[in-house]
Amino acid sequence: YLKISKLALAFAIIHSKPPGKSSKEYTEYLARTVSEQDFGWKWKVEVLEAEVLRLRQELLLNRISPRFCLENRIQDTSAETLLRQESINPTSYSSQLEDSGCDVCNDSAFDSLGIASDFHQSEHNVNTSEHWLERVPPLNLCHTSRGQSLTAPVHFLQRLLEIRKLSEGGILQADFSELENDSFTICNSVSQLLDGLTVFYNSPKFPAPSFLTEGVCVLISLITDTKLSNHVLKKCFKKMEEFKKNLIQIILRNRSVNRFQALHSVSQTLGLLGRNNILRNSLISLLLSEVRQFAEQLLQAHQVQSVYDISQYENMFLLCMILEQLLQNKTEESNISSSDCGGEEKIKFLTNLDQVILHLSDEFPLFSLYLWRVSVLLNSGQMQ
């Protein structure tokens, strides 16, 4: 039946083709037409799905705190205005991002993206309601873009965080048990945020857009909040793990010449994620695994005098620095149990590590030093 149908379609195309056009050209034209129609339907479906999610977000916020939603209903500025302002006035970030990007001796690269400074500012900002709700308006679904796809979940999660702040201060009454009853909305919102951040980190643009900074700040605030983080991580832990793995691979795979500032911002985001106790242990395990595997590959290449990936070798130092920072933070927080730090990966990392360092120390002294520093932290009294 399938062969007969294909044959009938071929005859129909041949008989109906316009004069001056070959059968092949006419077939390609028909294929493009059908493909464009499919794309149009897919786009409409995506817009409708986004609208459904937006309505569910509003409904969830209204269930948590009806008074908050009523007071903020007048804010109807579209995300298109935000993006237009961003394209007109992108000079709010450091101009040093236009250079070669080879200077990573300090936090200037990360601060120039606005992420670190904005995050610390948000921690001490008393009137966070005006700060958040004015900077990220609702999403206009009539137009779609990478920025708007990130703005929508950011706006919802910012309002959720603001309700949390106001309820903690006794200004609003809020029922966060509603988050348990609507796991779909919170999961999809966090997933959209993580996917949007991954896309931007894969193809960074300088100066960094403000909604990227807002996205990182909201994500960190969400997972460090004592009450909201439990709801979010319980429903989105796998997605968070996938996000961390993606960021690590973005660091390892990048081979461009002007990569260091962008990669430094990614490494800072990983470090901020490690502030959460639940995410920290799994992140340490992931980093230990990557560093250990690379050390073994480097040792093998050194022994047989074969080539190794120099770019990956350079990028590996960022992972080592993140790992050292996380381990230091963990030892300083004495109230947190760290007996399971690294788990199985810790044992694998420490096995035969002295021999690895001994063979690599002459040719790769700096990398060997980092391996030794990590091993000291893993073997320290606080890490037992």
Side-chain angles (χ1 to χ4, degrees):
Y1 176 79
L2 183 60
K3 291 181 179 180
I4 294 174
S5 299
K6 289 182 177 179
L7 186 61
L9 178 60
F11 274 113
I13 292 175
I14 293 173
H15 283 297
S16 62
K17 72 179 182 67
K21 218 173 221 186
S22 67
S23 299
K24 181 180 179 181
E25 292 173 343
Y26 187 51
T27 302
E28 292 174 349
Y29 164 76
L30 293 175
R32 285 196 301 270
T33 303
V34 174
S35 177
E36 290 173 359
Q37 291 176 352
D38 289 342
F39 178 79
W41 281 110
K42 289 179 181 178
W43 180 83
K44 291 178 182 178
V45 169
E46 290 176 357
V47 170
L48 292 174
E49 287 178 344
E51 176 66 12
V52 169
L53 180 59
R54 184 187 67 80
L55 294 174
R56 294 189 65 145
Q57 290 171 344
E58 290 187 1
L59 180 61
L60 178 59
L61 292 174
N62 187 65
R63 286 175 177 173
I64 294 174
S65 180
R67 177 187 163 192
F68 178 86
C69 295
L70 183 63
E71 291 177 351
N72 289 276
R73 198 176 295 277
I74 59 173
Q75 297 193 8
D76 57 353
T77 309
S78 68
E80 186 179 1
T81 304
L82 176 69
L83 297 176
R84 189 185 303 116
Q85 292 174 352
E86 184 68 38
S87 62
I88 294 174
N89 185 24
T91 58
S92 59
Y93 299 95
S94 173
S95 61
Q96 63 180 286
L97 289 170
E98 298 174 1
D99 66 11
S100 64
C102 294
D103 183 10
V104 293
C105 60
N106 52 40
D107 290 341
S108 61
F110 186 65
D111 289 338
S112 61
L113 286 175
I115 298 172
S117 57
D118 283 9
F119 173 66
H120 293 301
Q121 180 182 0
S122 67
E123 286 184 318
H124 303 288
N125 192 349
V126 178
N127 192 5
T128 53
S129 177
E130 295 180 3
H131 171 71
W132 280 342
L133 296 178
E134 288 178 1
R135 291 186 68 179
V136 182
L139 173 66
N140 179 6
L141 290 172
C142 297
H143 303 84
T144 59
S145 70
R146 291 200 311 170
Q148 289 175 335
S149 65
L150 189 58
T151 303
V154 165
H155 178 248
F156 165 69
L157 295 172
Q158 281 179 332
R159 299 184 75 182
L160 190 63
L161 285 165
E162 181 58 17
I163 293 175
R164 167 79 175 90
K165 293 285 185 181
L166 295 176
S167 65
E168 190 179 37
I171 302 174
L172 278 179
Q173 289 185 347
D175 181 14
F176 287 98
S177 63
E178 289 293 336
L179 292 175
E180 298 287 347
N181 302 325
D182 193 356
S183 59
F184 173 85
T185 301
I186 189 70
C187 285
N188 275 265
S189 301
V190 173
S191 295
Q192 281 190 0
L193 174 58
L194 297 179
D195 289 340
L197 291 174
T198 302
V199 169
F200 275 102
Y201 277 133
N202 266 310
S203 303
K205 292 184 178 180
F206 302 120
S210 62
F211 43 77
L212 176 61
T213 303
E214 294 289 343
V216 175
C217 292
V218 166
L219 177 62
I220 302 306
S221 298
L222 195 64
I223 65 172
T224 52
D225 188 279
T226 53
K227 288 187 177 180
L228 292 180
S229 61
N230 294 329
H231 294 284
V232 172
L233 292 178
K234 183 164 60 175
K235 299 175 177 65
C236 310
F237 183 76
K238 289 185 178 179
K239 190 68 179 180
M240 286 285 189
E241 290 296 292
E242 180 184 342
F243 179 62
K244 290 187 297 183
K245 292 178 181 177
N246 288 336
L247 293 187
I248 291 174
Q249 292 306 312
I250 288 173
I251 292 177
L252 291 178
R253 290 197 305 261
N254 198 314
R255 289 171 172 78
S256 62
V257 175
N258 298 325
R259 67 184 184 272
F260 294 105
Q261 286 185 327
L263 292 187
H264 193 57
S265 67
V266 178
S267 68
Q268 290 284 357
T269 301
L270 280 171
L272 291 173
L273 290 175
R275 292 187 176 197
N276 182 276
N277 299 330
I278 299 176
L279 296 179
R280 182 188 298 165
N281 284 337
S282 60
L283 180 55
I284 288 175
S285 295
L286 289 173
L287 293 172
L288 284 174
S289 176
E290 292 292 345
V291 174
R292 175 183 58 82
Q293 292 179 34
F294 181 78
E296 293 174 353
Q297 295 172 5
L298 190 63
L299 176 60
Q300 184 178 5
H302 176 63
Q303 289 175 338
V304 299
Q305 295 297 308
S306 63
V307 296
Y308 61 94
D309 192 332
I310 297 179
S311 296
Q312 190 175 16
Y313 174 78
E314 295 171 343
N315 297 339
M316 188 60 61
F317 285 99
L318 286 174
L319 299 190
C320 291
M321 286 187 283
I322 301 169
L323 181 57
E324 185 178 13
Q325 174 191 347
L326 294 177
L327 292 174
Q328 287 176 340
N329 292 343
K330 198 165 184 67
T331 58
E332 292 170 359
E333 298 176 10
S334 57
N335 59 325
I336 299 175
S337 174
S338 56
S339 59
D340 60 341
C341 174
E344 190 176 324
E345 284 300 329
K346 172 186 174 182
I347 300 174
K348 291 181 179 179
F349 182 86
L350 294 175
T351 303
N352 298 325
L353 182 63
D354 292 339
Q355 291 297 320
V356 174
I357 294 175
L358 179 63
H359 287 91
L360 294 179
S361 58
D362 289 337
E363 190 73 21
F364 308 99
L366 184 57
F367 183 66
S368 300
L369 178 61
Y370 267 106
L371 293 178
W372 176 78
R373 289 166 64 169
V374 169
S375 68
V376 169
L377 288 170
L378 287 173
N379 285 318
S380 62
Q382 295 95 327
M383 304 303 295
Q384 297 301 322

